[in-house]
Protein backbone atom coordinates (compact mmCIF):
# COMPACT_ATOMS: atom_id res chain seq x y z
CA UNK A 1 0.00 0.00 0.00
CA UNK A 2 2.74 2.50 0.73
CA UNK A 3 4.01 1.91 -2.78
CA UNK A 4 0.61 2.70 -4.24
CA UNK A 5 0.43 5.88 -2.12
CA UNK A 6 3.89 6.90 -3.30
CA UNK A 7 2.93 6.24 -6.90
CA UNK A 8 -0.22 8.37 -6.45
CA UNK A 9 1.85 11.12 -4.86
CA UNK A 10 4.28 10.98 -7.77
CA UNK A 11 1.41 11.24 -10.31
CA UNK A 12 -0.08 14.20 -8.40
CA UNK A 13 3.36 15.79 -8.26
CA UNK A 14 3.77 15.26 -12.03
CA UNK A 15 0.37 16.89 -12.68
CA UNK A 16 1.34 19.79 -10.41
CA UNK A 17 4.58 20.19 -12.38
CA UNK A 18 2.65 20.18 -15.67
CA UNK A 19 0.23 22.77 -14.25
CA UNK A 20 3.20 24.87 -13.14
CA UNK A 21 4.81 24.60 -16.57
CA UNK A 22 1.51 25.59 -18.23
CA UNK A 23 1.16 28.49 -15.78
CA UNK A 24 4.72 29.64 -16.60
CA UNK A 25 3.99 29.45 -20.34
CA UNK A 26 0.70 31.36 -19.89
CA UNK A 27 2.50 33.88 -17.69
CA UNK A 28 5.28 34.30 -20.28
CA UNK A 29 2.65 34.70 -23.00
CA UNK A 30 0.88 37.33 -20.87
CA UNK A 31 4.20 39.16 -20.41
CA UNK A 32 4.79 39.10 -24.19
CA UNK A 33 1.26 40.40 -24.85
CA UNK A 34 1.78 43.06 -22.14
CA UNK A 35 5.10 44.10 -23.73
CA UNK A 36 3.46 44.21 -27.14
CA UNK A 37 0.66 46.34 -25.70
CA UNK A 38 3.23 48.69 -24.14
CA UNK A 39 5.04 48.92 -27.50
CA UNK A 40 1.76 49.72 -29.31
CA UNK A 41 0.89 52.23 -26.57
CA UNK A 42 4.32 53.89 -26.94
CA UNK A 43 3.89 53.95 -30.73
CA UNK A 44 0.42 55.49 -30.31
CA UNK A 45 1.90 58.15 -27.99
CA UNK A 46 4.60 58.92 -30.60
CA UNK A 47 1.96 59.16 -33.39
CA UNK A 48 -0.23 61.30 -31.10
CA UNK A 49 2.72 63.60 -30.31
CA UNK A 50 3.58 63.78 -34.02
CA UNK A 51 -0.06 64.61 -34.85
CA UNK A 52 -0.07 67.33 -32.16
CA UNK A 53 3.19 68.71 -33.63
CA UNK A 54 1.72 68.72 -37.17
CA UNK A 55 -1.50 70.26 -35.82
CA UNK A 56 0.46 72.96 -33.99
CA UNK A 57 2.55 73.60 -37.12
CA UNK A 58 -0.63 73.85 -39.21
CA UNK A 59 -2.10 76.30 -36.66
CA UNK A 60 1.13 78.33 -36.81
CA UNK A 61 1.04 78.40 -40.64
CA UNK A 62 -2.67 79.27 -40.52
CA UNK A 63 -2.00 82.07 -38.03
CA UNK A 64 0.89 83.32 -40.19
CA UNK A 65 -1.39 83.26 -43.27
CA UNK A 66 -4.05 85.21 -41.33
CA UNK A 67 -1.38 87.72 -40.25
CA UNK A 68 -0.18 88.13 -43.87
CA UNK A 69 -3.81 88.39 -45.03
CA UNK A 70 -4.50 91.02 -42.35
CA UNK A 71 -1.34 92.89 -43.36
CA UNK A 72 -2.42 92.76 -47.04
CA UNK A 73 -5.87 94.08 -46.07
CA UNK A 74 -4.21 96.86 -44.06
CA UNK A 75 -1.96 97.77 -47.04
CA UNK A 76 -4.99 97.59 -49.35
CA UNK A 77 -6.98 99.85 -47.00
CA UNK A 78 -4.01 102.22 -46.78
CA UNK A 79 -3.79 102.27 -50.61
CA UNK A 80 -7.54 103.02 -50.80
CA UNK A 81 -7.07 105.89 -48.34
CA UNK A 82 -4.12 107.24 -50.38
CA UNK A 83 -6.15 106.77 -53.58
CA UNK A 84 -9.12 108.56 -52.00
CA UNK A 85 -6.80 111.31 -50.78
CA UNK A 86 -5.26 111.64 -54.28
CA UNK A 87 -8.76 111.71 -55.76
CA UNK A 88 -9.71 114.46 -53.29
CA UNK A 89 -6.58 116.42 -54.22
CA UNK A 90 -7.38 115.86 -57.91
CA UNK A 91 -10.95 117.07 -57.35
CA UNK A 92 -9.62 120.06 -55.44
CA UNK A 93 -7.18 120.80 -58.30
CA UNK A 94 -10.04 120.57 -60.81
CA UNK A 95 -12.08 122.97 -58.64
CA UNK A 96 -9.13 125.41 -58.48
CA UNK A 97 -8.67 125.03 -62.25
CA UNK A 98 -12.37 125.72 -62.90
CA UNK A 99 -12.22 128.68 -60.50
CA UNK A 100 -9.18 129.99 -62.41
CA UNK A 101 -11.07 129.60 -65.71
CA UNK A 102 -14.03 131.56 -64.27
CA UNK A 103 -11.70 134.31 -63.01
CA UNK A 104 -9.96 134.31 -66.41
CA UNK A 105 -13.33 134.66 -68.19
CA UNK A 106 -14.32 137.54 -65.89
CA UNK A 107 -10.96 139.19 -66.51
CA UNK A 108 -11.46 138.76 -70.24
CA UNK A 109 -14.93 140.31 -70.01
CA UNK A 110 -13.50 143.15 -67.91
CA UNK A 111 -10.88 143.65 -70.64
CA UNK A 112 -13.34 143.47 -73.57
CA UNK A 113 -15.84 145.98 -72.10
CA UNK A 114 -13.29 148.87 -71.77
CA UNK A 115 -11.93 148.10 -75.26
CA UNK A 116 -15.48 148.11 -76.62
CA UNK A 117 -16.19 151.40 -74.81
CA UNK A 118 -12.99 152.91 -76.17
CA UNK A 119 -13.80 151.74 -79.71
CA UNK A 120 -17.37 153.03 -79.41
CA UNK A 121 -16.28 156.39 -78.09
CA UNK A 122 -13.74 156.74 -80.93
CA UNK A 123 -16.35 156.01 -83.56
CA UNK A 124 -18.94 158.36 -82.04
CA UNK A 125 -16.49 161.19 -81.54
Amino acid sequence: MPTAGFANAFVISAYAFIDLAIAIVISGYAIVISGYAIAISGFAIVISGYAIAISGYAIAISGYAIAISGYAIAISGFAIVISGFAFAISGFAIAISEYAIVISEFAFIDFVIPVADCTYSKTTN
Side-chain angles (χ1 to χ4, degrees), residues 56-121:
Y57 183 68
I59 289 165
I61 289 171
S62 170
Y64 183 68
I66 288 165
I68 289 170
S69 170
Y71 183 68
I73 289 165
I75 288 171
S76 170
F78 185 66
I80 289 164
V81 168
I82 288 171
S83 170
F85 184 67
F87 188 72
I89 288 170
S90 169
F92 185 66
I94 289 165
I96 289 170
S97 170
E98 286 173 354
Y99 182 69
I101 289 165
V102 168
I103 289 170
S104 169
E105 286 171 353
F106 273 118
F108 182 73
I109 290 164
D110 285 346
F111 170 74
V112 167
I113 290 170
V115 169
D117 280 349
C118 178
T119 308
Y120 178 73
S121 63

Side-chain angles (χ1 to χ4, degrees), residues 17-46:
F17 182 75
I18 289 166
D19 286 345
L20 177 65
I22 290 169
I24 288 167
V25 168
I26 289 170
S27 171
Y29 184 67
I31 288 165
V32 168
I33 289 171
S34 171
Y36 182 69
I38 288 165
I40 289 171
S41 170
F43 184 67
I45 288 165
V46 167

